[in-house]
Amino acid sequence: MSKLIDKKLIDHINEVDSSLPAPGGGSVMGTVGSLGCALAGMVGHLTVNKKKFSELKKEEQDSFNNSIEKIKEIKSHLMDIVDKDAESFNLFMEAMKMPKETDDDKKKRKAAMSEASEKSISVPFNALKCCYELIPHFDIVLKYGNNGVITDILSAYILILACAKGCILNINVNILFIDNNDFLDNIKSKSIEYIKTIENRYNSIENEILLFRL
């Protein structure tokens, strides 16, 4: 079966707009997040060949270039989410279809659903972590990037915030089926840390974003 990420954009959009439950929100968040990275990367490409950039100190140039490389790496992880989310959903649906006629059936089904839910949660959680890790690198691009394309890096922040919030929704929807409290406690505490950091940083630059309103 061909990967979702390898499909034409129009085919991917139309596959989401179908009666199938997957690909769904999680896959779309992977797409949205990777597009945010792509915008930041574009700003990088349109910065490094400018005279203003060449006048920066070497450590500033190195910091910028390192951030662009890290954004590219994270973009690859988010692109993987497009397919991994759909795959984890399908595993959960297989567990849901397990027999539940006897008490033993129900016990096995419940355990399988819990395990599948852990895998399902791990996918959006990893995407959320990617969004969190992007923030300091986006900040470097915003600081040193070409002012002629500043709206693109600001738009990238918007996409990353949207991706992160979508990931939180996908994490929450799977929590009810998990019996592993240690796993849940770690996911919850880290998710709160990540989303608050992302939201706080977005809020701190929101006025800068709104300067471009009509």
Side-chain angles (χ1 to χ4, degrees):
M1 191 171 96
S2 62
K3 288 188 174 183
L4 295 169
I5 197 65
D6 292 332
K7 293 188 175 184
K8 291 181 180 179
L9 180 58
I10 189 170
D11 293 333
H12 178 45
I13 292 171
N14 287 332
E15 189 163 355
V16 173
D17 181 17
S18 74
S19 60
L20 297 173
S27 292
V28 171
M29 291 309 102
T31 303
V32 169
S34 59
L35 283 171
C37 293
L39 277 176
M42 184 192 78
V43 175
H45 293 305
L46 295 174
T47 297
V48 294
N49 60 348
K50 298 298 181 182
K51 182 176 182 292
K52 188 175 179 180
F53 183 77
S54 67
E55 294 171 348
L56 293 174
K57 296 177 182 178
K58 184 179 184 304
E59 56 265 31
E60 293 172 330
Q61 292 184 24
D62 289 344
S63 176
F64 186 87
N65 288 327
N66 289 338
S67 283
I68 290 298
E69 283 302 310
K70 188 62 180 178
I71 290 168
K72 183 178 179 181
E73 178 185 324
I74 295 174
K75 180 185 73 174
S76 179
H77 292 318
L78 286 167
M79 288 169 67
D80 287 341
I81 296 294
V82 176
D83 282 282
K84 285 182 178 178
D85 185 83
E87 290 165 4
S88 67
F89 176 81
N90 290 332
L91 285 175
F92 177 77
M93 291 307 296
E94 287 178 16
M96 284 277 287
K97 294 174 183 176
M98 289 176 65
K100 48 183 177 178
E101 301 301 319
T102 67
D103 288 342
D104 189 52
D105 286 342
K106 292 175 183 178
K107 185 178 179 180
K108 289 180 180 177
R109 179 175 177 270
K110 185 179 180 181
M113 287 174 61
S114 178
E115 183 179 351
S117 292
E118 284 190 34
K119 292 179 181 177
S120 293
I121 279 182
S122 294
V123 176
F125 175 76
N126 287 334
L128 175 62
K129 184 180 178 184
C130 283
C131 294
Y132 168 79
E133 292 174 346
L134 282 168
I135 294 300
H137 300 296
F138 277 20
D139 288 349
I140 292 293
V141 177
L142 179 62
K143 183 177 182 179
Y144 297 117
N146 182 347
N147 283 333
V149 284
I150 191 173
T151 54
D152 293 292
I153 185 58
L154 293 175
S155 295
Y157 281 99
I158 295 172
L159 293 179
I160 290 305
L161 176 62
C163 178
K165 287 189 172 183
C167 289
I168 290 292
L169 293 175
N170 280 286
I171 290 169
N172 284 337
V173 79
N174 286 288
I175 281 176
L176 295 176
F177 300 100
I178 295 178
D179 292 329
N180 186 340
N181 288 329
D182 289 338
F183 174 84
L184 280 179
D185 289 343
N186 180 63
I187 288 288
K188 287 178 180 178
S189 63
K190 287 294 185 183
S191 294
I192 290 170
E193 175 191 351
Y194 294 159
I195 193 64
K196 282 187 175 180
T197 299
I198 296 164
E199 287 181 328
N200 288 340
R201 181 57 185 130
Y202 175 83
N203 290 336
S204 72
I205 63 168
E206 187 175 35
N207 287 336
E208 199 164 351
I209 292 171
L210 292 177
L211 285 175
F212 295 93
R213 66 184 182 271
L214 294 178

